Amino acid sequence: ATLAADSPVNVGVAQYSNDVRVAVKIGEYQEVPQLLMQVDAMQYTGGSTLTGKALRHVAQYGFKSAPAFADIQDDLPRVIVLLAGSSSEDPVIESAKYARDQDLLLIGVGSESMRMELNDIARNPQQTVVYANPRHLFNKIPELQQKICSIDHQGCHASLDL
């Protein structure tokens, strides 16, 4: 996302398999190049795809306010963009409901074969982005940008650079 002084955007990144690892805490990076370097440094962890566990973890702990971020605008929509490489090996519906009950908006991104699971997670087919194969994911970025920027009718204050 575009992280600028006049933009109320904060980004966090979690990686999951058997366990959930927070690779970037919300608000940890204020500059896009440093954020991208951290994301690029992430390594494939292998293991099971426990999407339900990851959703619940991020819903419980991913948006906790820290004293260091006391000046961050708190009325912004809270969004989880779930980028999944394969179908979940654990139940996702209850975890997704838990996340929505925490006033989190879920956007699911994954392959065409995952469409039904992503729709179950987001609970709204309009909040999913599917691609034919991983090479086509890059072409779906404008669609993802539009979904994020249309949240809560707030729009994006600056161009959203994913």
Side-chain angles (χ1 to χ4, degrees), residues 114-135:
M114 296 180 55
R115 181 184 295 273
M116 288 183 59
E117 181 175 304
L118 294 173
N119 287 346
D120 285 344
I121 290 168
R123 202 176 75 185
N124 179 349
Q126 298 303 314
Q127 295 305 119
T128 61
V129 177
V130 295
Y131 52 85
N133 66 58
R135 291 186 308 261

mmCIF file of all heavy atoms in Angstrom, residues 114-135:
data_model
loop_
_atom_site.group_PDB
_atom_site.id
_atom_site.type_symbol
_atom_site.label_atom_id
_atom_site.label_comp_id
_atom_site.label_asym_id
_atom_site.label_seq_id
_atom_site.Cartn_x
_atom_site.Cartn_y
_atom_site.Cartn_z
ATOM 1 N N MET A 114 -10.108 -22.498 -5.890
ATOM 2 C CA MET A 114 -10.425 -22.170 -4.498
ATOM 3 C C MET A 114 -11.637 -21.248 -4.374
ATOM 4 O O MET A 114 -11.967 -20.817 -3.277
ATOM 5 C CB MET A 114 -9.226 -21.498 -3.832
ATOM 6 C CG MET A 114 -8.021 -22.383 -3.719
ATOM 7 S SD MET A 114 -6.666 -21.528 -2.936
ATOM 8 C CE MET A 114 -7.423 -21.006 -1.406
ATOM 9 N N ARG A 115 -12.290 -20.942 -5.476
ATOM 10 C CA ARG A 115 -13.373 -19.950 -5.471
ATOM 11 C C ARG A 115 -14.410 -20.202 -4.381
ATOM 12 O O ARG A 115 -14.775 -19.290 -3.647
ATOM 13 C CB ARG A 115 -14.055 -19.884 -6.829
ATOM 14 C CG ARG A 115 -15.173 -18.843 -6.892
ATOM 15 C CD ARG A 115 -15.902 -18.843 -8.215
ATOM 16 N NE ARG A 115 -15.080 -18.451 -9.328
ATOM 17 C CZ ARG A 115 -14.891 -17.196 -9.718
ATOM 18 N NH1 ARG A 115 -15.465 -16.221 -9.071
ATOM 19 N NH2 ARG A 115 -14.132 -16.931 -10.761
ATOM 20 N N MET A 116 -14.889 -21.426 -4.243
ATOM 21 C CA MET A 116 -15.938 -21.710 -3.251
ATOM 22 C C MET A 116 -15.438 -21.442 -1.836
ATOM 23 O O MET A 116 -16.142 -20.842 -1.026
ATOM 24 C CB MET A 116 -16.455 -23.144 -3.395
ATOM 25 C CG MET A 116 -17.304 -23.335 -4.635
ATOM 26 S SD MET A 116 -17.988 -25.000 -4.774
ATOM 27 C CE MET A 116 -18.911 -25.123 -3.273
ATOM 28 N N GLU A 117 -14.214 -21.875 -1.520
ATOM 29 C CA GLU A 117 -13.665 -21.652 -0.183
ATOM 30 C C GLU A 117 -13.477 -20.156 0.074
ATOM 31 O O GLU A 117 -13.802 -19.654 1.151
ATOM 32 C CB GLU A 117 -12.344 -22.383 -0.010
ATOM 33 C CG GLU A 117 -11.749 -22.212 1.371
ATOM 34 C CD GLU A 117 -10.503 -23.046 1.583
ATOM 35 O OE1 GLU A 117 -10.572 -24.277 1.403
ATOM 36 O OE2 GLU A 117 -9.459 -22.453 1.920
ATOM 37 N N LEU A 118 -12.963 -19.434 -0.911
ATOM 38 C CA LEU A 118 -12.772 -17.986 -0.752
ATOM 39 C C LEU A 118 -14.113 -17.282 -0.556
ATOM 40 O O LEU A 118 -14.228 -16.358 0.257
ATOM 41 C CB LEU A 118 -12.034 -17.406 -1.959
ATOM 42 C CG LEU A 118 -10.591 -17.888 -2.135
ATOM 43 C CD1 LEU A 118 -10.032 -17.389 -3.460
ATOM 44 C CD2 LEU A 118 -9.723 -17.449 -0.968
ATOM 45 N N ASN A 119 -15.139 -17.710 -1.283
ATOM 46 C CA ASN A 119 -16.480 -17.139 -1.101
ATOM 47 C C ASN A 119 -17.007 -17.440 0.293
ATOM 48 O O ASN A 119 -17.649 -16.591 0.915
ATOM 49 C CB ASN A 119 -17.442 -17.672 -2.153
ATOM 50 C CG ASN A 119 -17.189 -17.093 -3.533
ATOM 51 O OD1 ASN A 119 -16.467 -16.112 -3.689
ATOM 52 N ND2 ASN A 119 -17.762 -17.726 -4.537
ATOM 53 N N ASP A 120 -16.733 -18.645 0.804
ATOM 54 C CA ASP A 120 -17.148 -18.987 2.168
ATOM 55 C C ASP A 120 -16.436 -18.093 3.190
ATOM 56 O O ASP A 120 -17.031 -17.656 4.171
ATOM 57 C CB ASP A 120 -16.826 -20.452 2.487
ATOM 58 C CG ASP A 120 -17.766 -21.432 1.814
ATOM 59 O OD1 ASP A 120 -18.848 -21.008 1.345
ATOM 60 O OD2 ASP A 120 -17.403 -22.621 1.745
ATOM 61 N N ILE A 121 -15.161 -17.826 2.953
ATOM 62 C CA ILE A 121 -14.390 -17.001 3.873
ATOM 63 C C ILE A 121 -14.874 -15.558 3.841
ATOM 64 O O ILE A 121 -15.158 -14.958 4.872
ATOM 65 C CB ILE A 121 -12.884 -17.091 3.547
ATOM 66 C CG1 ILE A 121 -12.359 -18.483 3.912
ATOM 67 C CG2 ILE A 121 -12.095 -15.996 4.271
ATOM 68 C CD1 ILE A 121 -10.970 -18.782 3.385
ATOM 69 N N ALA A 122 -14.966 -14.995 2.637
ATOM 70 C CA ALA A 122 -15.362 -13.587 2.503
ATOM 71 C C ALA A 122 -16.863 -13.404 2.719
ATOM 72 O O ALA A 122 -17.310 -12.303 3.032
ATOM 73 C CB ALA A 122 -14.963 -13.062 1.129
ATOM 74 N N ARG A 123 -17.628 -14.461 2.532
ATOM 75 C CA ARG A 123 -19.089 -14.469 2.636
ATOM 76 C C ARG A 123 -19.751 -13.576 1.596
ATOM 77 O O ARG A 123 -20.923 -13.268 1.683
ATOM 78 C CB ARG A 123 -19.561 -14.123 4.044
ATOM 79 C CG ARG A 123 -20.968 -14.644 4.298
ATOM 80 C CD ARG A 123 -21.436 -14.428 5.675
ATOM 81 N NE ARG A 123 -21.785 -13.037 5.878
ATOM 82 C CZ ARG A 123 -22.149 -12.515 7.014
ATOM 83 N NH1 ARG A 123 -22.224 -13.265 8.074
ATOM 84 N NH2 ARG A 123 -22.450 -11.248 7.125
ATOM 85 N N ASN A 124 -18.981 -13.135 0.631
ATOM 86 C CA ASN A 124 -19.512 -12.284 -0.417
ATOM 87 C C ASN A 124 -18.631 -12.497 -1.649
ATOM 88 O O ASN A 124 -17.463 -12.122 -1.634
ATOM 89 C CB ASN A 124 -19.469 -10.826 0.031
ATOM 90 C CG ASN A 124 -19.980 -9.879 -1.024
ATOM 91 O OD1 ASN A 124 -20.180 -10.250 -2.174
ATOM 92 N ND2 ASN A 124 -20.177 -8.644 -0.633
ATOM 93 N N PRO A 125 -19.190 -13.061 -2.715
ATOM 94 C CA PRO A 125 -18.378 -13.297 -3.915
ATOM 95 C C PRO A 125 -17.742 -12.016 -4.471
ATOM 96 O O PRO A 125 -16.728 -12.078 -5.149
ATOM 97 C CB PRO A 125 -19.374 -13.883 -4.915
ATOM 98 C CG PRO A 125 -20.486 -14.409 -4.090
ATOM 99 C CD PRO A 125 -20.544 -13.561 -2.856
ATOM 100 N N GLN A 126 -18.315 -10.872 -4.148
ATOM 101 C CA GLN A 126 -17.740 -9.602 -4.596
ATOM 102 C C GLN A 126 -16.450 -9.269 -3.852
ATOM 103 O O GLN A 126 -15.736 -8.353 -4.238
ATOM 104 C CB GLN A 126 -18.755 -8.467 -4.417
ATOM 105 C CG GLN A 126 -20.020 -8.642 -5.222
ATOM 106 C CD GLN A 126 -19.738 -8.774 -6.710
ATOM 107 O OE1 GLN A 126 -18.968 -8.012 -7.270
ATOM 108 N NE2 GLN A 126 -20.344 -9.771 -7.343
ATOM 109 N N GLN A 127 -16.169 -9.996 -2.781
ATOM 110 C CA GLN A 127 -14.964 -9.749 -1.992
ATOM 111 C C GLN A 127 -13.907 -10.823 -2.226
ATOM 112 O O GLN A 127 -13.064 -11.068 -1.374
ATOM 113 C CB GLN A 127 -15.308 -9.661 -0.502
ATOM 114 C CG GLN A 127 -16.193 -8.483 -0.142
ATOM 115 C CD GLN A 127 -15.624 -7.147 -0.590
ATOM 116 O OE1 GLN A 127 -16.233 -6.439 -1.390
ATOM 117 N NE2 GLN A 127 -14.463 -6.792 -0.104
ATOM 118 N N THR A 128 -13.977 -11.468 -3.382
ATOM 119 C CA THR A 128 -12.954 -12.453 -3.726
ATOM 120 C C THR A 128 -12.307 -12.074 -5.052
ATOM 121 O O THR A 128 -12.924 -11.442 -5.908
ATOM 122 C CB THR A 128 -13.535 -13.884 -3.832
ATOM 123 O OG1 THR A 128 -14.515 -13.919 -4.858
ATOM 124 C CG2 THR A 128 -14.150 -14.325 -2.523
ATOM 125 N N VAL A 129 -11.062 -12.467 -5.191
ATOM 126 C CA VAL A 129 -10.307 -12.270 -6.421
ATOM 127 C C VAL A 129 -9.704 -13.625 -6.761
ATOM 128 O O VAL A 129 -8.976 -14.198 -5.940
ATOM 129 C CB VAL A 129 -9.179 -11.223 -6.233
ATOM 130 C CG1 VAL A 129 -8.348 -11.093 -7.497
ATOM 131 C CG2 VAL A 129 -9.754 -9.871 -5.820
ATOM 132 N N VAL A 130 -10.032 -14.142 -7.927
ATOM 133 C CA VAL A 130 -9.486 -15.437 -8.335
ATOM 134 C C VAL A 130 -8.687 -15.272 -9.624
ATOM 135 O O VAL A 130 -8.938 -14.376 -10.412
ATOM 136 C CB VAL A 130 -10.586 -16.507 -8.514
ATOM 137 C CG1 VAL A 130 -11.266 -16.815 -7.198
ATOM 138 C CG2 VAL A 130 -11.596 -16.085 -9.552
ATOM 139 N N TYR A 131 -7.722 -16.157 -9.789
ATOM 140 C CA TYR A 131 -6.879 -16.129 -10.979
ATOM 141 C C TYR A 131 -6.749 -17.537 -11.531
ATOM 142 O O TYR A 131 -6.923 -18.518 -10.816
ATOM 143 C CB TYR A 131 -5.506 -15.528 -10.662
ATOM 144 C CG TYR A 131 -4.813 -16.177 -9.487
ATOM 145 C CD1 TYR A 131 -4.047 -17.330 -9.646
ATOM 146 C CD2 TYR A 131 -4.922 -15.635 -8.206
ATOM 147 C CE1 TYR A 131 -3.416 -17.923 -8.570
ATOM 148 C CE2 TYR A 131 -4.292 -16.224 -7.130
ATOM 149 C CZ TYR A 131 -3.536 -17.365 -7.324
ATOM 150 O OH TYR A 131 -2.919 -17.953 -6.249
ATOM 151 N N ALA A 132 -6.448 -17.618 -12.830
ATOM 152 C CA ALA A 132 -6.353 -18.908 -13.499
ATOM 153 C C ALA A 132 -5.092 -19.659 -13.090
ATOM 154 O O ALA A 132 -5.119 -20.864 -12.881
ATOM 155 C CB ALA A 132 -6.384 -18.715 -15.017
ATOM 156 N N ASN A 133 -3.980 -18.958 -12.983
ATOM 157 C CA ASN A 133 -2.736 -19.562 -12.515
ATOM 158 C C ASN A 133 -1.894 -18.456 -11.889
ATOM 159 O O ASN A 133 -2.154 -17.267 -12.104
ATOM 160 C CB ASN A 133 -2.008 -20.319 -13.640
ATOM 161 C CG ASN A 133 -1.523 -19.407 -14.737
ATOM 162 O OD1 ASN A 133 -0.757 -18.474 -14.484
ATOM 163 N ND2 ASN A 133 -1.955 -19.666 -15.962
ATOM 164 N N PRO A 134 -0.896 -18.815 -11.089
ATOM 165 C CA PRO A 134 -0.120 -17.798 -10.357
ATOM 166 C C PRO A 134 0.485 -16.707 -11.238
ATOM 167 O O PRO A 134 0.636 -15.569 -10.793
ATOM 168 C CB PRO A 134 0.971 -18.611 -9.661
ATOM 169 C CG PRO A 134 0.352 -19.958 -9.478
ATOM 170 C CD PRO A 134 -0.498 -20.170 -10.706
ATOM 171 N N ARG A 135 0.795 -17.006 -12.488
ATOM 172 C CA ARG A 135 1.348 -15.980 -13.375
ATOM 173 C C ARG A 135 0.337 -14.876 -13.643
ATOM 174 O O ARG A 135 0.708 -13.755 -13.976
ATOM 175 C CB ARG A 135 1.820 -16.599 -14.685
ATOM 176 C CG ARG A 135 3.043 -17.496 -14.521
ATOM 177 C CD ARG A 135 3.551 -17.954 -15.867
ATOM 178 N NE ARG A 135 2.501 -18.554 -16.678
ATOM 179 C CZ ARG A 135 2.293 -19.856 -16.807
ATOM 180 N NH1 ARG A 135 3.072 -20.706 -16.188
ATOM 181 N NH2 ARG A 135 1.321 -20.312 -17.562
#
